[in-house]
Amino acid sequence: MMRTRPLKVALLGCGVVGSEVARIMTTHADDLTARIGAPVELAGVAVRRPDKVREGIAPELVTTDATALVKRGDIDVVIEVIGGIEPARGLITTAFEHGASVVSANKALLAQDGAALHAVAEQHDKDLYYEAAVAGAIPLIRPLRESLAGDKINRVMGIVNGTTNFILDAMDSTGAGYQEALDEATALGYAEADPTADVEGFDAAAKAAILAGISFHTRVRLDDVYREGMTEVTAADFASAKEMGCTIKLLAICERAEDGASVTARVHPAMIPLSHPLASVRGAYNAVFVEADAAGQLMFYGPGAGGSPTASAVLGDLVAVCRNRLNGATGPGESAYAALPVSPMGDVVTRYHISLDVADKPGVLAQVATVFAEHGVSIDTVRQSGKDGEASLVVVTHRASDAALTGTVEALRKLDTVRGVASIMRVEGE
C-alpha cells in the first residue's frame, strides 16, 4: 500500500554532487516514489551562497542555516554532501538527535570519526549509510557489509582515486613525466587546482580506512593507514615496470595477516603484473579487487567520482533508508566485533623492486647481495648495466617484511660502492 504523506529530505551542500542529487530527486520523483512506497520531498537545501541561481531548486527551499534545517523535527532523512570534518560532524549528530537518518558521502569524516557517528546513530535508532564515500557509483560498501557478511574477507586491493589513476595511466601510455601528466589531468578537469589530497594519497587512505573497517569487522581509523603518495614516480620507474611485465598503480590495500590475528591498511604506488585485472583499469576509473574465503575473487569496476556517479550512490542509499523508515526498521550499523589490532607497516610482507646507482667495478654485486642476505631478504632477480665507471643495479626480491627491507636499504646506503638508491617500489598482485 502506497503512503501518501511524503518523506522529507534535507540536503546539506549543493555543489557538483548535491545539485545532481536534487536534480535526480526531481526528475525521477515518480520512479523513486514507486520504489520506496512513498513520495520523497526535498524539504530544504543548506548552502553557503544563497544568492547563486540553482536550476530546479525553489528559492524558498534554500537556507544558510544548516543547523536549523536539521533540527526541524519533521525531516526524515538528511543527505550530507558538504565534506570535511566540521560542520559536517556536528550537523550529522544533530540530525540523529532530532529524529533523522543520514546519508553521507563524507569519506574524511567517516574515516576519522565513523565509530562515534555509528554510536550516535544506534543510540537514536537511526540509519547511517555512506555508499558514496568510496568509489563513487560502484556498489561496494553494501556488498561488503551485507552481501559478503557471511563470508571471511581476507584482502581488499583497489584503485580508489580517479585522478591518480588518470595521471599514472597517462605516464604509462605516453611516456610522459609526472608533472606533464598532472598538467593534462588538471586541464581536463580530473585534477583539482590543489591536487595534494589525491596525489599524496590522503583521499585513498580515508577510503582504505573505511574499507578495512567494514571488511574485517574492526575499527580502522585514518591514522592507522600507512600512506605514501605518487609524486616521486618517474618515467624510468614505468620503464622498469614494463621490463618486468608490469605497470604502476596507486593502490589501497587492506589485508588480514596470514595468521588472521591482525590487519593492515596501506596506500602507496606499486608495480602490478599486466595479467592482473587492476592493471587494465584506465583513465579516471576505479576498481576494487576483493578476496574472500567462500566467494573467491571478486572485482568491482566503474566511474569512481563525479557528480552523476556519486549522486547515483547517494540516491541508492536514500531509497534504502527511506524503505527502512517506512518499515520502522534500520539497516546494518557498525560491525566491529572482531576488534583486531592494526599492525604497523613494518610488519607488511611483500616483494620489492629496488634500483641502485653503483660503481661499475668488480665485486659490487657480491657486496650488495651480502647486505640483502644479512638482513634476511631473499633476492629473486638482478639486472646490471653500466659504463664509464657508473652502473645501474636493479634488484627484485622475494617476499620480505617492510622492516627488513628498510634495514637493507639503510645498510646499502653505507656502502662506498653504492652511489644512491634511485627508487624503491613494492610489487603487488602476484
Side-chain angles (χ1 to χ4, degrees), residues 374-398:
E374 289 174 346
H375 288 81
V377 179
S378 176
I379 294 175
D380 182 17
T381 61
V382 177
R383 186 175 69 254
Q384 186 173 6
S385 60
K387 61 181 180 179
D388 300 328
E390 299 296 329
S392 174
L393 189 64
V394 175
V395 178
V396 180
T397 74
H398 288 291

Side-chain angles (χ1 to χ4, degrees), residues 11 16-18 20-25 28 32 35 77-81 102-106 110 128-143 145-146 286 302-322:
L11 178 61
V16 173
V17 175
E20 190 66 9
V21 168
R23 184 192 69 79
I24 296 173
M25 285 184 65
H28 295 186
L32 291 172
R35 293 166 192 168
V77 183
V78 170
I79 297 175
E80 183 273 309
V81 287
V102 173
V103 172
S104 176
N106 196 331
L110 289 159
L128 173 61
Y129 275 50
Y130 43 90
E131 184 67 65
V134 180
I138 304 172
L140 182 60
I141 300 298
R142 195 167 294 135
R145 74 175 184 176
E146 296 182 33
N286 284 192
S308 293
T310 306
S312 171
V314 169
L315 268 295
D317 279 351
L318 176 64
V319 169
V321 169
C322 286

Side-chain angles (χ1 to χ4, degrees), residues 51 106 116 142 184 231 233 237 317 339:
D51 298 332
N106 196 331
R142 195 167 294 135
E184 181 185 5
T231 57
V233 176
D237 291 326
D317 279 351

Side-chain angles (χ1 to χ4, degrees), residues 91-153:
L91 291 169
I92 289 174
T93 300
T94 301
F96 289 139
E97 292 170 347
H98 286 77
S101 290
V102 173
V103 172
S104 176
N106 196 331
K107 54 189 171 288
L109 177 58
L110 289 159
Q112 178 172 304
D113 290 319
L117 293 176
H118 273 293
V120 179
E122 183 178 358
Q123 177 187 348
H124 294 281
D125 198 26
K126 296 296 178 285
D127 275 324
L128 173 61
Y129 275 50
Y130 43 90
E131 184 67 65
V134 180
I138 304 172
L140 182 60
I141 300 298
R142 195 167 294 135
L144 289 176
R145 74 175 184 176
E146 296 182 33
S147 304
L148 296 173
D151 207 341
K152 179 184 178 185
I153 297 173

Side-chain angles (χ1 to χ4, degrees), residues 354 356 358 363-379 393 395 397 400 403-418 421:
I354 304 104
L356 304 172
V358 299
V364 172
L365 180 56
Q367 286 184 329
V368 169
T370 297
V371 169
F372 276 88
E374 289 174 346
H375 288 81
V377 179
S378 176
I379 294 175
L393 189 64
V395 178
T397 74
L405 196 282
T406 299
T408 303
V409 172
E410 289 176 354
L412 288 171
R413 294 183 193 276
K414 296 176 182 178
L415 293 178
D416 292 338
T417 51
V418 174
V421 179

